[in-house]
Amino acid sequence: MSNVRRPALEGTIAVRDARRLSFAEYGPRRGPAIVWMHGTPGARRQIPLEVREYAARQGVRIIGLDRPGIGSSTPYLYPDVVDWTHDLEVVLDTLAIDTVRLIGLSGGGPYALAAGAALPDRVHGVGVLGGVAPTQGDDAIDGGIIQLAVLVAPLLVAARVPLGVALTQGIRLVRPLAGPALDLYAALQPPGDKNLLSRPEFKAMFLDDLLNGSRFQTSAPINDLILFTRPWGFEAGDVRVPVRWWHGDADHIVPFRHGQHVVDRLPDATMTTIDGESHLGGLGIAQDVIETLMDLGPRRATAVPH
C-alpha cells in the first residue's frame, strides 16, 4: 500500500443529470488553475509528486479530475468526447475558476483538446503528453494499439457494464500484490517507462492513484476506449487555443507519428520530442510542461472569420 500524502482538498462536484465528478486539488486555492486529465487507465491522483510540490512552491493550483466511472465519479458514457466539456464548465464554476489551462496525459489528451475547442474564452492553453489521436473522421490516423479497440468496439459497447465490474473485481483481487504487479509491468516495458516506474516517487504515485481510484469502480477505461473509437465531436482545426505537445520518440502505446499527425492539423501547436522516451516520458518532465503552459496567457479568444 502507498503512504503518499493525501491532496489538500478532495471531494465530488454535482454536474449534469444528477451525476457527480470527483476531484483532487493541490497547491493554493487562489493560484492560477491547471486541470490535469489522467491517462487510460488512471484517476485524479495520477499527478507526479514533484509536480504537487512545485504547485505548492510556485503558487499554482492543480486539479486532478476523475472521469465518470472511476473514483467517486458517477458511471456514465458521454455521447462523444466534447460533451465532457459541459461538465467541465460546471466544475470550473463550482471551484470559482474563471480561466484555466489543461494537461492531458495519453487518454486524457482528447479531453484536454476538447476543452480547447469548446471553451476558448476560458482556456489559456493545452498541454498534451503522448496523447491519443482520432480514429474516425478527417483527422483519423491508423495503427497503434488503439486499433485493437476499434476492432472490438461493438463488444465494448455491448459489454461495457460487465467488463467494468470484472475489471473492478480483478483489481480488488490483486490489491495485496499491487506493488509486485507494478514491478512486473515495469519489467516488460521499454527502457524509458521502465526507468521511470523504477523511481520510488513515481511508483508510489501510481500505486496511490490505482488503489484509491479503483476502490469503488473501474469502468472509466472502458468508456474511454469506446469514445476514442467514435468521432470526438470536434476537429483539430476547432482547437484555436495554443497547444503544446510532448511525445516520446520511442512511444510503444501511442506512436510518435500519431502525435505529430495531430499537431500538424492544429492551428496553433508545437511538438517537443522527448528523445529516447516511451509512453510515460511526459511525466518525467512535467515541471517543464507546467512552466511552458504558464507562459500561455492570459488571453481571450479572437473572433473566427466566417
Side-chain angles (χ1 to χ4, degrees):
M1 293 290 291
S2 170
N3 60 355
V4 174
R5 183 187 303 175
R6 291 188 59 180
L9 179 64
E10 199 166 25
T12 64
I13 294 173
V15 292
R16 299 171 297 159
D17 304 322
R19 294 179 293 106
R20 303 191 74 84
L21 291 182
S22 43
F23 73 98
E25 185 170 308
Y26 304 90
R29 298 211 69 199
R30 296 185 182 278
I34 295 176
V35 169
W36 187 292
M37 298 305 296
H38 60 77
T40 305
R44 63 185 179 272
R45 295 187 186 180
Q46 197 184 67
I47 299 172
L49 304 188
E50 62 182 26
V51 169
R52 306 178 192 187
E53 296 169 359
Y54 175 85
R57 190 169 64 249
Q58 298 296 323
V60 178
R61 183 183 185 187
I62 299 181
I63 299 105
L65 192 59
D66 281 339
R67 293 196 277 281
I70 196 72
S72 301
S73 290
T74 309
Y76 179 70
L77 178 63
Y78 293 114
D80 51 32
V81 173
V82 78
D83 187 69
W84 165 78
T85 61
H86 297 297
D87 284 349
L88 175 61
E89 284 189 281
V90 177
V91 170
L92 297 178
D93 291 342
T94 303
L95 296 178
I97 296 172
D98 179 21
T99 56
V100 68
R101 298 162 178 85
L102 289 97
I103 295 175
L105 168 68
S106 184
Y111 294 90
L113 291 173
L119 307 175
D121 288 328
R122 302 190 74 165
V123 175
H124 289 326
V126 171
V128 179
L129 312 179
V132 173
T135 62
Q136 303 290 329
D138 293 339
D139 296 326
I141 184 172
D142 60 8
I145 292 177
I146 191 64
Q147 289 302 313
L148 296 177
V150 174
L151 292 175
V152 299
L155 173 62
L156 292 176
V157 173
R160 69 182 184 88
V161 174
L163 283 173
V165 172
L167 187 57
T168 303
Q169 293 299 324
I171 292 177
R172 287 175 179 171
L173 288 175
V174 303
R175 281 178 71 92
L177 302 173
L182 184 60
D183 290 339
L184 177 60
Y185 173 81
L188 300 174
Q189 301 310 298
D193 283 5
K194 183 183 299 184
N195 292 338
L196 187 141
L197 291 169
S198 70
R199 292 167 56 178
E201 71 275 20
F202 277 97
K203 181 178 179 181
M205 180 270 290
F206 277 113
L207 287 176
D208 176 64
D209 182 62
L210 172 67
L211 298 179
N212 177 73
S214 63
R215 189 169 14 173
F216 304 115
Q217 54 181 336
T218 322
S219 61
I222 307 298
N223 295 339
D224 277 354
L225 293 177
I226 292 172
L227 291 180
F228 298 160
T229 65
R230 294 176 174 177
W232 291 357
F234 68 98
E235 296 180 353
D238 299 326
V239 186
R240 297 191 171 272
V241 304
V243 177
R244 301 296 176 259
W245 195 298
W246 290 261
H247 215 114
D249 59 5
D251 195 324
H252 61 304
I253 303 295
V254 180
F256 179 84
R257 67 183 182 89
H258 281 208
Q260 188 64 64
H261 171 81
V262 180
V263 168
D264 290 343
R265 303 176 75 87
L266 291 164
D268 180 359
T270 61
M271 167 66 81
T272 299
T273 303
I274 315 175
D275 294 331
E277 290 292 342
S278 36
H279 190 55
L280 300 177
L283 293 178
I285 59 167
Q287 181 172 313
D288 293 338
V289 171
I290 292 176
E291 291 175 348
T292 299
L293 287 188
M294 295 310 298
D295 288 336
L296 301 179
R299 62 175 297 279
R300 290 294 181 185
T302 55
V304 177
H306 294 284

